[in-house]
Every structure is written in structure tokens, then in C-alpha cells.
Amino acid sequence: METPIMPTTQKEVTPIMVQPMPNWKPPKSISSPPTPLDSPFMAGPIRPRFSTRSVEVSIPIHVEEEKELVAPKKDITLVVPDHWLDCPFKEHGCHKKGEKNEVKRHVRDDRNLHLVLLCLSLNPIRSKINIQQSGYVDKYAGMLQYMNLAESSFEKFGSQHTFHVPKIGLAVVKATKNKSHRSLFSQPFYSHGYGYKMMAVAAPYGDGLAFREYFSVFVCIMKGEWDDILEWPFRCDVSFSILSDDKKELLTKTIYVNKVPEIQEFLERPEGLRNGTFGFQDFLPLAKITEFAADGDIFIQIKVLLSHEKLFEAEEIDSMECQGANVAGFKTKNE
Ligand SMILES: [Zn+2]
């Protein structure tokens, strides 16, 4: 807001004009120009009593600036004694300076001025905050979109596959009756984008030593499209997790491929359609299988742990389970 030099105050204000008058004594606080607000002493001519307040605040801000152009600044600062205090509302635009008591009085008497000053300085902050806030909301919405994209990409291309074994009760019964139902095969999947082609195999009624006792689950490496550009042998640990109906991991077991010498030949680059399987013969006791079913089905999430980070993380979580488990369950169904 421009600060007009108000004509009504000209009479008293003249001393502060650019060319100081010969007989003029500077008022006590020359550097306290008023803020152009409806402070009582701004409304009309200066009150006759020579209160510091009325004189000081009538000094328009501009005068000081103009004066700077003509006269050196030290002329002004010289007349401001060191012990004078600023009005506590200085940062909000009040230029009052004076003795301690004087400033106290000013704060007490000029509440309206200070309120308006506060309003004026708060409003821009407020609108700035509003703009920032709506910016944050936009950013947040954008972030959510990216997260959804990332999640769906991970589901599509991430190092995992969810093996669905429908109607586990029936699958177990069928396996007891017919050899051809002892193994269930998943769709082939890739460990990751341009990764190893793999397949999961479940034996609902157990496999090998675990026959009739456990639900067994394995994976195998298949001949895949990207084998030429992959590292061999396969060196990724693989974790198997049973998922609840709300996608929580109920039971997780991880096979650390480097620690199981028996399966090393299954980790080489496949020459036939697929290698032998490796995993857990004793994955889940058959007696407990219904506890882990989600609406009668079993969902096993298979994660191929690609990075070192994941590898260590997995070791921390699963080392307990693996120590006691028969990790080296494997079948020799080489084709
Ligand atoms: Zn003030």
C-alpha cells in the first residue's frame, strides 16, 4: 500500500521534508513513520500537544526514503538514541521507536493499528499456505497414482507368483486315490522381467518322505526365453508363503539355494523342458491344511529373492523356520 503524504499533516510534518528547515528540531523518533492505517493520529491534523506519539507517527514513510536520496542516512540515525526500542510489531510494519515506557504506551494505545498491521501481514501468509496446501494435495494425489502404477507393475513383472491350489480338501482326496493327481503344476512364470522361467509344483498329499504327512511345494527352472542373457547357475533364494484371504503371509519358508548341495544340478541352465524341482517336502502338515486355506483354497506366494538386501532380510525372518525344517526336499523328476 502506498503511503500518501497526507495534506492535513503537512503543517506539522514539514520539518521532515527533504530540505530541513533551519529552525526545525527533529522530533524524537524520526525513524518512526506511521503505517497508513486508521490509527487515531492518522485521521486528521496532529493534535496540538507535543506528544512524541503524534509527531512521530505522522512522519510518512516516504519522506525517509526521499531524504536518503538527498541527505546521508547518518543524519537520521544520529538522532535515534541507542537505548530506544523498536515497537514489537516492527516486523509487521510498525515503525515506532522510543523510550521503553513510550513504546509500552504505544503498544497499549494503538491496538487497532497493530491489529490491522497483523491482519495485513497475515493475509499473504494465509493465501500462500492455501496455495501450498492445494499443491501438496495435488502432489499427494499424483504420488498415489504412481504408487498404484508401481504396485500393479510389481504384480505383473515383479519377482513373484501366486500359486492357486483350488479346493484343497478335494485335491488331497484325489491325490490319495490316483497317482496322476499327486502333483499339481502352476502356470509357468518369470522370476522377474527378462528373468528365469519357472514353475511351481504342489503335492497335496505329500511327496517322498513326506508322503501322507505333509503338503509339499516346490519350484523348478524351465527353459526360458531369456536364458542366454541370464547368469547361470541360478543363485536366487526362493520363498514360499501361504496367503490368507486378506493377502497376509500366514506361513513363510525360504530355501537358500547355496546352502543345499543336493539341489545344485537343478540350478543349472535347463537342457530339457525343465529341471528337477526343489522346495519343501514338509511345507505344511496335512492335519493343519484347512487352517491355512482361504475359503477352501490354498494360495502360495512364491518370491524369487533377487537382491542381496532382500536376501539378508529373508534370512533374518526365516532362518528360525529353516533350521528346523527339512530344506532339502526335492524330487528327481527330470524329464
Ligand atoms: Zn507499533
Side-chain angles (χ1 to χ4, degrees):
M1 194 194 288
E2 275 301 314
T3 311
I5 299 175
M6 281 183 275
T8 45
T9 57
Q10 279 298 349
K11 200 171 160 195
E12 266 79 13
V13 174
T14 30
I16 322 299
M17 286 182 63
V18 176
Q19 299 296 335
M21 288 166 78
N23 291 330
W24 173 73
K25 285 185 203 161
K28 265 186 184 175
S29 65
I30 236 166
S31 57
S32 305
T35 314
L37 299 163
D38 53 349
S39 169
F41 33 82
M42 293 294 298
I46 299 302
R47 291 162 202 173
R49 74 186 163 93
F50 192 71
S51 92
T52 47
R53 188 177 88 190
S54 51
V55 173
E56 296 147 13
V57 208
S58 326
I59 301 163
I61 294 166
H62 281 131
V63 172
E64 205 176 342
E65 285 166 6
E66 283 166 22
K67 217 175 165 165
E68 271 176 17
L69 294 175
V70 185
K73 199 178 179 179
K74 59 179 178 181
D75 286 356
I76 303 169
T77 45
L78 274 178
V79 297
V80 179
D82 285 345
H83 65 279
W84 277 18
L85 300 175
D86 287 324
C87 167
F89 291 87
K90 184 185 175 189
E91 303 227 320
H92 300 286
C94 183
H95 298 271
K96 168 75 180 174
K97 266 180 198 284
E99 306 272 356
K100 194 177 171 188
N101 281 335
E102 200 184 328
V103 172
K104 261 189 182 172
R105 240 190 345 265
H106 156 72
V107 170
R108 187 194 62 204
D109 294 343
D110 295 330
R111 284 185 196 147
N112 283 347
L113 168 72
H114 291 144
L115 266 180
V116 177
L117 283 176
L118 276 181
C119 268
L120 284 179
S121 76
L122 276 182
N123 283 342
I125 296 175
R126 208 183 145 105
S127 45
K128 209 173 167 183
I129 288 177
N130 282 343
I131 291 170
Q132 275 179 345
Q133 258 180 351
S134 60
Y136 287 141
V137 170
D138 289 349
K139 271 189 193 164
Y140 183 70
M143 238 163 59
L144 282 184
Q145 260 185 344
Y146 281 119
M147 273 172 67
N148 283 340
L149 267 177
E151 265 171 30
S152 62
S153 312
F154 186 77
E155 296 220 337
K156 275 185 205 158
F157 308 112
S159 58
Q160 63 168 317
H161 174 78
T162 302
F163 185 16
H164 177 202
V165 183
K167 298 197 178 95
I168 185 65
L170 195 61
V172 172
V173 172
K174 276 185 180 173
T176 60
K177 292 184 174 166
N178 193 328
K179 268 193 172 184
S180 66
H181 287 109
R182 286 201 184 151
S183 297
L184 301 172
F185 297 89
S186 79
Q187 291 293 316
F189 61 92
Y190 278 93
S191 63
H192 56 288
Y194 308 104
Y196 300 93
K197 191 176 186 181
M198 302 174 86
M199 188 167 65
V201 185
Y205 200 50
D207 174 78
L209 295 173
F211 186 61
R212 296 183 196 187
E213 303 268 335
Y214 288 90
F215 175 91
S216 315
V217 64
F218 311 93
V219 287
C220 66
I221 296 166
M222 302 181 78
K223 192 172 250 188
E225 203 174 336
W226 317 109
D227 288 354
D228 285 340
I229 54 168
L230 289 166
E231 298 266 344
W232 296 102
F234 177 86
R235 279 284 166 250
C236 303
D237 297 334
V238 181
S239 74
F240 303 83
S241 307
I242 297 188
L243 299 182
S244 66
D245 42 13
D246 56 351
K247 281 191 166 185
K248 286 198 180 109
E249 295 181 9
L250 298 175
L251 166 77
T252 298
K253 290 189 178 182
T254 302
I255 183 156
Y256 302 104
V257 295
N258 284 337
K259 296 180 184 171
V260 193
E262 302 95 305
I263 66 169
Q264 295 310 307
E265 59 176 303
F266 306 148
L267 308 178
E268 297 294 339
R269 182 172 174 172
E271 285 173 6
L273 183 65
R274 66 177 183 88
N275 286 352
T277 58
F278 56 96
F280 294 91
Q281 283 184 334
D282 58 349
F283 187 64
L284 180 65
L286 277 178
K288 285 190 174 179
I289 195 118
T290 47
E291 287 175 35
F292 289 87
D295 201 19
D297 297 356
I298 289 277
F299 291 90
I300 304 167
Q301 187 179 61
I302 295 157
K303 280 187 192 164
V304 181
L305 307 174
L306 300 169
S307 69
H308 271 277
E309 212 173 274
K310 279 184 183 170
L311 200 149
F312 290 132
E313 192 182 289
E315 271 185 2
E316 269 173 34
I317 296 167
D318 302 322
S319 53
M320 296 293 290
E321 282 171 285
C322 268
Q323 277 162 3
N326 174 17
V327 175
F330 62 92
K331 306 202 291 182
T332 47
K333 262 195 179 176
N334 264 320
E335 273 145 84

